[in-house]
PDB file of all heavy atoms in Angstrom:
ATOM      1  N   THR A1568      65.912  -5.246 -13.900  1.00 93.00           N
ATOM      2  CA  THR A1568      66.888  -5.943 -14.736  1.00 93.00           C
ATOM      3  C   THR A1568      68.086  -5.035 -14.938  1.00 93.00           C
ATOM      4  O   THR A1568      67.994  -3.805 -14.830  1.00 93.00           O
ATOM      5  CB  THR A1568      66.280  -6.312 -16.097  1.00 93.00           C
ATOM      6  OG1 THR A1568      65.852  -5.100 -16.754  1.00 93.00           O
ATOM      7  CG2 THR A1568      65.083  -7.244 -15.937  1.00 93.00           C
ATOM      8  N   ARG A1575      66.329   0.608 -25.032  1.00 94.00           N
ATOM      9  CA  ARG A1575      65.339  -0.442 -25.236  1.00 94.00           C
ATOM     10  C   ARG A1575      64.072  -0.051 -24.487  1.00 94.00           C
ATOM     11  O   ARG A1575      64.094   0.843 -23.638  1.00 94.00           O
ATOM     12  CB  ARG A1575      65.863  -1.785 -24.749  1.00 94.00           C
ATOM     13  CG  ARG A1575      66.149  -1.819 -23.252  1.00 94.00           C
ATOM     14  CD  ARG A1575      66.651  -3.194 -22.778  1.00 94.00           C
ATOM     15  NE  ARG A1575      67.951  -3.519 -23.348  1.00 94.00           N
ATOM     16  CZ  ARG A1575      68.193  -4.622 -24.031  1.00 94.00           C
ATOM     17  NH1 ARG A1575      67.231  -5.509 -24.211  1.00 94.00           N
ATOM     18  NH2 ARG A1575      69.395  -4.873 -24.526  1.00 94.00           N
ATOM     19  N   PRO A1576      62.940  -0.707 -24.759  1.00 95.00           N
ATOM     20  CA  PRO A1576      61.703  -0.402 -24.024  1.00 95.00           C
ATOM     21  C   PRO A1576      61.848  -0.752 -22.541  1.00 95.00           C
ATOM     22  O   PRO A1576      62.497  -1.729 -22.178  1.00 95.00           O
ATOM     23  CB  PRO A1576      60.651  -1.288 -24.696  1.00 95.00           C
ATOM     24  CG  PRO A1576      61.213  -1.607 -26.039  1.00 95.00           C
ATOM     25  CD  PRO A1576      62.701  -1.673 -25.857  1.00 95.00           C
ATOM     26  N   LEU A1578      59.544  -1.457 -19.124  1.00 96.00           N
ATOM     27  CA  LEU A1578      58.233  -1.736 -18.537  1.00 96.00           C
ATOM     28  C   LEU A1578      58.336  -1.615 -17.020  1.00 96.00           C
ATOM     29  O   LEU A1578      59.111  -2.345 -16.389  1.00 96.00           O
ATOM     30  CB  LEU A1578      57.759  -3.144 -18.918  1.00 96.00           C
ATOM     31  CG  LEU A1578      56.469  -3.634 -18.234  1.00 96.00           C
ATOM     32  CD1 LEU A1578      55.285  -2.739 -18.600  1.00 96.00           C
ATOM     33  CD2 LEU A1578      56.174  -5.090 -18.601  1.00 96.00           C
ATOM     34  N   ILE A1580      56.224  -1.988 -13.609  1.00 95.00           N
ATOM     35  CA  ILE A1580      54.999  -2.608 -13.098  1.00 95.00           C
ATOM     36  C   ILE A1580      54.862  -2.275 -11.619  1.00 95.00           C
ATOM     37  O   ILE A1580      55.717  -2.648 -10.812  1.00 95.00           O
ATOM     38  CB  ILE A1580      55.007  -4.134 -13.291  1.00 95.00           C
ATOM     39  CG1 ILE A1580      55.337  -4.506 -14.740  1.00 95.00           C
ATOM     40  CG2 ILE A1580      53.666  -4.732 -12.873  1.00 95.00           C
ATOM     41  CD1 ILE A1580      55.447  -6.003 -14.972  1.00 95.00           C
ATOM     42  N   LYS A1610      54.508 -12.193 -12.475  1.00 90.00           N
ATOM     43  CA  LYS A1610      55.777 -12.777 -12.935  1.00 90.00           C
ATOM     44  C   LYS A1610      55.696 -13.222 -14.392  1.00 90.00           C
ATOM     45  O   LYS A1610      56.686 -13.182 -15.128  1.00 90.00           O
ATOM     46  CB  LYS A1610      56.158 -13.963 -12.053  1.00 90.00           C
ATOM     47  CG  LYS A1610      57.499 -14.607 -12.390  1.00 90.00           C
ATOM     48  CD  LYS A1610      57.836 -15.687 -11.395  1.00 90.00           C
ATOM     49  CE  LYS A1610      59.136 -16.386 -11.800  1.00 90.00           C
ATOM     50  NZ  LYS A1610      59.004 -17.101 -13.094  1.00 90.00           N
ATOM     51  N   THR A1611      54.490 -13.616 -14.852  1.00 93.00           N
ATOM     52  CA  THR A1611      54.364 -14.014 -16.261  1.00 93.00           C
ATOM     53  C   THR A1611      54.562 -12.823 -17.193  1.00 93.00           C
ATOM     54  O   THR A1611      55.059 -12.972 -18.308  1.00 93.00           O
ATOM     55  CB  THR A1611      52.986 -14.652 -16.510  1.00 93.00           C
ATOM     56  OG1 THR A1611      51.953 -13.679 -16.293  1.00 93.00           O
ATOM     57  CG2 THR A1611      52.766 -15.838 -15.569  1.00 93.00           C
ATOM     58  N   TYR A1612      54.174 -11.627 -16.723  1.00 95.00           N
ATOM     59  CA  TYR A1612      54.411 -10.418 -17.514  1.00 95.00           C
ATOM     60  C   TYR A1612      55.902 -10.086 -17.536  1.00 95.00           C
ATOM     61  O   TYR A1612      56.442  -9.661 -18.565  1.00 95.00           O
ATOM     62  CB  TYR A1612      53.615  -9.243 -16.939  1.00 95.00           C
ATOM     63  CG  TYR A1612      52.144  -9.275 -17.268  1.00 95.00           C
ATOM     64  CD1 TYR A1612      51.271 -10.113 -16.576  1.00 95.00           C
ATOM     65  CD2 TYR A1612      51.620  -8.461 -18.259  1.00 95.00           C
ATOM     66  CE1 TYR A1612      49.922 -10.137 -16.866  1.00 95.00           C
ATOM     67  CE2 TYR A1612      50.259  -8.472 -18.553  1.00 95.00           C
ATOM     68  CZ  TYR A1612      49.412  -9.322 -17.856  1.00 95.00           C
ATOM     69  OH  TYR A1612      48.075  -9.338 -18.159  1.00 95.00           O
ATOM     70  N   VAL A1613      56.558 -10.251 -16.395  1.00 94.00           N
ATOM     71  CA  VAL A1613      58.007 -10.021 -16.340  1.00 94.00           C
ATOM     72  C   VAL A1613      58.719 -10.984 -17.276  1.00 94.00           C
ATOM     73  O   VAL A1613      59.623 -10.596 -18.049  1.00 94.00           O
ATOM     74  CB  VAL A1613      58.519 -10.182 -14.896  1.00 94.00           C
ATOM     75  CG1 VAL A1613      60.047 -10.074 -14.857  1.00 94.00           C
ATOM     76  CG2 VAL A1613      57.883  -9.139 -13.981  1.00 94.00           C
ATOM     77  N   ASP A1614      58.335 -12.259 -17.237  1.00 94.00           N
ATOM     78  CA  ASP A1614      58.957 -13.274 -18.090  1.00 94.00           C
ATOM     79  C   ASP A1614      58.784 -12.924 -19.567  1.00 94.00           C
ATOM     80  O   ASP A1614      59.732 -12.994 -20.369  1.00 94.00           O
ATOM     81  CB  ASP A1614      58.331 -14.631 -17.786  1.00 94.00           C
ATOM     82  CG  ASP A1614      58.918 -15.737 -18.629  1.00 94.00           C
ATOM     83  OD1 ASP A1614      60.062 -16.151 -18.326  1.00 94.00           O
ATOM     84  OD2 ASP A1614      58.260 -16.186 -19.592  1.00 94.00           O
ATOM     85  N   TRP A1615      57.554 -12.511 -19.935  1.00 95.00           N
ATOM     86  CA  TRP A1615      57.303 -12.144 -21.327  1.00 95.00           C
ATOM     87  C   TRP A1615      58.146 -10.942 -21.732  1.00 95.00           C
ATOM     88  O   TRP A1615      58.751 -10.928 -22.825  1.00 95.00           O
ATOM     89  CB  TRP A1615      55.816 -11.829 -21.502  1.00 95.00           C
ATOM     90  CG  TRP A1615      55.501 -11.279 -22.869  1.00 95.00           C
ATOM     91  CD1 TRP A1615      55.208 -11.972 -23.993  1.00 95.00           C
ATOM     92  CD2 TRP A1615      55.478  -9.882 -23.238  1.00 95.00           C
ATOM     93  NE1 TRP A1615      55.000 -11.118 -25.043  1.00 95.00           N
ATOM     94  CE2 TRP A1615      55.169  -9.831 -24.611  1.00 95.00           C
ATOM     95  CE3 TRP A1615      55.697  -8.703 -22.554  1.00 95.00           C
ATOM     96  CZ2 TRP A1615      55.059  -8.631 -25.301  1.00 95.00           C
ATOM     97  CZ3 TRP A1615      55.582  -7.508 -23.246  1.00 95.00           C
ATOM     98  CH2 TRP A1615      55.264  -7.475 -24.601  1.00 95.00           C
ATOM     99  N   ALA A1616      58.202  -9.931 -20.899  1.00 95.00           N
ATOM    100  CA  ALA A1616      58.937  -8.715 -21.236  1.00 95.00           C
ATOM    101  C   ALA A1616      60.426  -8.988 -21.410  1.00 95.00           C
ATOM    102  O   ALA A1616      61.059  -8.464 -22.349  1.00 95.00           O
ATOM    103  CB  ALA A1616      58.720  -7.662 -20.155  1.00 95.00           C
ATOM    104  N   VAL A1617      61.012  -9.792 -20.532  1.00 94.00           N
ATOM    105  CA  VAL A1617      62.438 -10.092 -20.640  1.00 94.00           C
ATOM    106  C   VAL A1617      62.712 -10.883 -21.915  1.00 94.00           C
ATOM    107  O   VAL A1617      63.699 -10.640 -22.625  1.00 94.00           O
ATOM    108  CB  VAL A1617      62.922 -10.860 -19.394  1.00 94.00           C
ATOM    109  CG1 VAL A1617      64.354 -11.346 -19.588  1.00 94.00           C
ATOM    110  CG2 VAL A1617      62.829  -9.964 -18.162  1.00 94.00           C
ATOM    111  N   ARG A1618      61.845 -11.831 -22.242  1.00 93.00           N
ATOM    112  CA  ARG A1618      62.037 -12.607 -23.471  1.00 93.00           C
ATOM    113  C   ARG A1618      61.937 -11.736 -24.712  1.00 93.00           C
ATOM    114  O   ARG A1618      62.580 -12.018 -25.733  1.00 93.00           O
ATOM    115  CB  ARG A1618      61.006 -13.738 -23.540  1.00 93.00           C
ATOM    116  CG  ARG A1618      61.343 -14.909 -22.633  1.00 93.00           C
ATOM    117  CD  ARG A1618      60.442 -16.116 -22.879  1.00 93.00           C
ATOM    118  NE  ARG A1618      59.100 -15.928 -22.374  1.00 93.00           N
ATOM    119  CZ  ARG A1618      58.041 -15.674 -23.134  1.00 93.00           C
ATOM    120  NH1 ARG A1618      58.193 -15.538 -24.450  1.00 93.00           N
ATOM    121  NH2 ARG A1618      56.837 -15.517 -22.593  1.00 93.00           N
ATOM    122  N   GLU A1619      61.132 -10.656 -24.632  1.00 94.00           N
ATOM    123  CA  GLU A1619      61.009  -9.750 -25.776  1.00 94.00           C
ATOM    124  C   GLU A1619      62.113  -8.698 -25.802  1.00 94.00           C
ATOM    125  O   GLU A1619      62.125  -7.841 -26.693  1.00 94.00           O
ATOM    126  CB  GLU A1619      59.649  -9.058 -25.741  1.00 94.00           C
ATOM    127  CG  GLU A1619      58.474  -9.988 -25.972  1.00 94.00           C
ATOM    128  CD  GLU A1619      58.487 -10.593 -27.379  1.00 94.00           C
ATOM    129  OE1 GLU A1619      59.033  -9.950 -28.308  1.00 94.00           O
ATOM    130  OE2 GLU A1619      57.948 -11.700 -27.538  1.00 94.00           O
ATOM    131  N   GLY A1620      63.006  -8.738 -24.819  1.00 94.00           N
ATOM    132  CA  GLY A1620      64.114  -7.793 -24.807  1.00 94.00           C
ATOM    133  C   GLY A1620      63.816  -6.494 -24.089  1.00 94.00           C
ATOM    134  O   GLY A1620      64.601  -5.545 -24.173  1.00 94.00           O
ATOM    135  N   PHE A1621      62.710  -6.407 -23.372  1.00 96.00           N
ATOM    136  CA  PHE A1621      62.389  -5.203 -22.625  1.00 96.00           C
ATOM    137  C   PHE A1621      63.204  -5.176 -21.334  1.00 96.00           C
ATOM    138  O   PHE A1621      63.562  -6.210 -20.774  1.00 96.00           O
ATOM    139  CB  PHE A1621      60.910  -5.172 -22.233  1.00 96.00           C
ATOM    140  CG  PHE A1621      59.957  -4.970 -23.381  1.00 96.00           C
ATOM    141  CD1 PHE A1621      60.334  -5.158 -24.705  1.00 96.00           C
ATOM    142  CD2 PHE A1621      58.640  -4.589 -23.149  1.00 96.00           C
ATOM    143  CE1 PHE A1621      59.449  -4.981 -25.748  1.00 96.00           C
ATOM    144  CE2 PHE A1621      57.743  -4.401 -24.181  1.00 96.00           C
ATOM    145  CZ  PHE A1621      58.150  -4.610 -25.489  1.00 96.00           C
ATOM    146  N   ALA A1622      63.486  -3.990 -20.861  1.00 95.00           N
ATOM    147  CA  ALA A1622      63.975  -3.822 -19.492  1.00 95.00           C
ATOM    148  C   ALA A1622      62.754  -3.756 -18.570  1.00 95.00           C
ATOM    149  O   ALA A1622      61.680  -3.294 -18.970  1.00 95.00           O
ATOM    150  CB  ALA A1622      64.799  -2.553 -19.373  1.00 95.00           C
ATOM    151  N   VAL A1623      62.922  -4.202 -17.332  1.00 95.00           N
ATOM    152  CA  VAL A1623      61.793  -4.283 -16.411  1.00 95.00           C
ATOM    153  C   VAL A1623      62.186  -3.726 -15.048  1.00 95.00           C
ATOM    154  O   VAL A1623      63.272  -4.028 -14.531  1.00 95.00           O
ATOM    155  CB  VAL A1623      61.303  -5.737 -16.234  1.00 95.00           C
ATOM    156  CG1 VAL A1623      60.156  -5.793 -15.227  1.00 95.00           C
ATOM    157  CG2 VAL A1623      60.874  -6.333 -17.566  1.00 95.00           C
ATOM    158  N   THR A1778      49.905  -7.579 -23.992  1.00 96.00           N
ATOM    159  CA  THR A1778      51.164  -7.867 -24.707  1.00 96.00           C
ATOM    160  C   THR A1778      51.056  -7.487 -26.184  1.00 96.00           C
ATOM    161  O   THR A1778      52.024  -6.995 -26.768  1.00 96.00           O
ATOM    162  CB  THR A1778      51.529  -9.351 -24.561  1.00 96.00           C
ATOM    163  OG1 THR A1778      50.438 -10.167 -25.016  1.00 96.00           O
ATOM    164  CG2 THR A1778      51.837  -9.688 -23.113  1.00 96.00           C
ATOM    165  N   LEU A1781      51.623  -3.748 -26.426  1.00 96.00           N
ATOM    166  CA  LEU A1781      53.025  -3.384 -26.249  1.00 96.00           C
ATOM    167  C   LEU A1781      53.854  -3.779 -27.462  1.00 96.00           C
ATOM    168  O   LEU A1781      54.782  -3.047 -27.859  1.00 96.00           O
ATOM    169  CB  LEU A1781      53.583  -4.047 -24.985  1.00 96.00           C
ATOM    170  CG  LEU A1781      52.898  -3.660 -23.665  1.00 96.00           C
ATOM    171  CD1 LEU A1781      53.659  -4.256 -22.482  1.00 96.00           C
ATOM    172  CD2 LEU A1781      52.799  -2.159 -23.509  1.00 96.00           C
ATOM    173  N   TRP A1788      60.962  -0.698 -33.192  1.00 93.00           N
ATOM    174  CA  TRP A1788      62.184  -1.021 -32.428  1.00 93.00           C
ATOM    175  C   TRP A1788      62.579  -2.470 -32.617  1.00 93.00           C
ATOM    176  O   TRP A1788      63.756  -2.794 -32.770  1.00 93.00           O
ATOM    177  CB  TRP A1788      61.945  -0.747 -30.941  1.00 93.00           C
ATOM    178  CG  TRP A1788      63.097  -1.213 -30.076  1.00 93.00           C
ATOM    179  CD1 TRP A1788      64.265  -0.561 -29.852  1.00 93.00           C
ATOM    180  CD2 TRP A1788      63.169  -2.439 -29.349  1.00 93.00           C
ATOM    181  NE1 TRP A1788      65.079  -1.296 -29.022  1.00 93.00           N
ATOM    182  CE2 TRP A1788      64.423  -2.460 -28.703  1.00 93.00           C
ATOM    183  CE3 TRP A1788      62.314  -3.525 -29.181  1.00 93.00           C
ATOM    184  CZ2 TRP A1788      64.841  -3.525 -27.898  1.00 93.00           C
ATOM    185  CZ3 TRP A1788      62.707  -4.577 -28.391  1.00 93.00           C
ATOM    186  CH2 TRP A1788      63.965  -4.579 -27.757  1.00 93.00           C
ATOM    187  N   ARG A1792      66.049  -3.875 -34.044  1.00 81.00           N
ATOM    188  CA  ARG A1792      66.776  -4.367 -32.873  1.00 81.00           C
ATOM    189  C   ARG A1792      68.051  -5.098 -33.305  1.00 81.00           C
ATOM    190  O   ARG A1792      68.023  -5.930 -34.221  1.00 81.00           O
ATOM    191  CB  ARG A1792      65.868  -5.316 -32.091  1.00 81.00           C
ATOM    192  CG  ARG A1792      66.494  -5.913 -30.857  1.00 81.00           C
ATOM    193  CD  ARG A1792      65.514  -6.882 -30.231  1.00 81.00           C
ATOM    194  NE  ARG A1792      66.048  -7.508 -29.046  1.00 81.00           N
ATOM    195  CZ  ARG A1792      65.456  -8.491 -28.395  1.00 81.00           C
ATOM    196  NH1 ARG A1792      64.288  -8.961 -28.832  1.00 81.00           N
ATOM    197  NH2 ARG A1792      66.001  -9.020 -27.319  1.00 81.00           N
ATOM    198  N   MET A1800      69.151 -13.378 -23.051  1.00 45.00           N
ATOM    199  CA  MET A1800      68.743 -14.265 -21.979  1.00 45.00           C
ATOM    200  C   MET A1800      69.809 -15.296 -21.690  1.00 45.00           C
ATOM    201  O   MET A1800      70.161 -15.566 -20.545  1.00 45.00           O
ATOM    202  CB  MET A1800      67.425 -14.971 -22.350  1.00 45.00           C
ATOM    203  CG  MET A1800      66.204 -14.084 -22.248  1.00 45.00           C
ATOM    204  SD  MET A1800      65.793 -13.690 -20.543  1.00 45.00           S
ATOM    205  CE  MET A1800      65.287 -15.302 -19.975  1.00 45.00           C
TER     206      MET A1800
END
Side-chain angles (χ1 to χ4, degrees):
T1568 59
R1575 63 179 66 235
L1578 173 62
I1580 309 176
K1610 183 175 176 296
T1611 64
Y1612 283 78
V1613 175
D1614 180 75
W1615 173 87
V1617 172
R1618 283 189 287 105
E1619 293 295 332
F1621 290 17
V1623 178
T1778 55
L1781 299 187
W1788 173 81
R1792 179 183 179 187
M1800 285 290 292

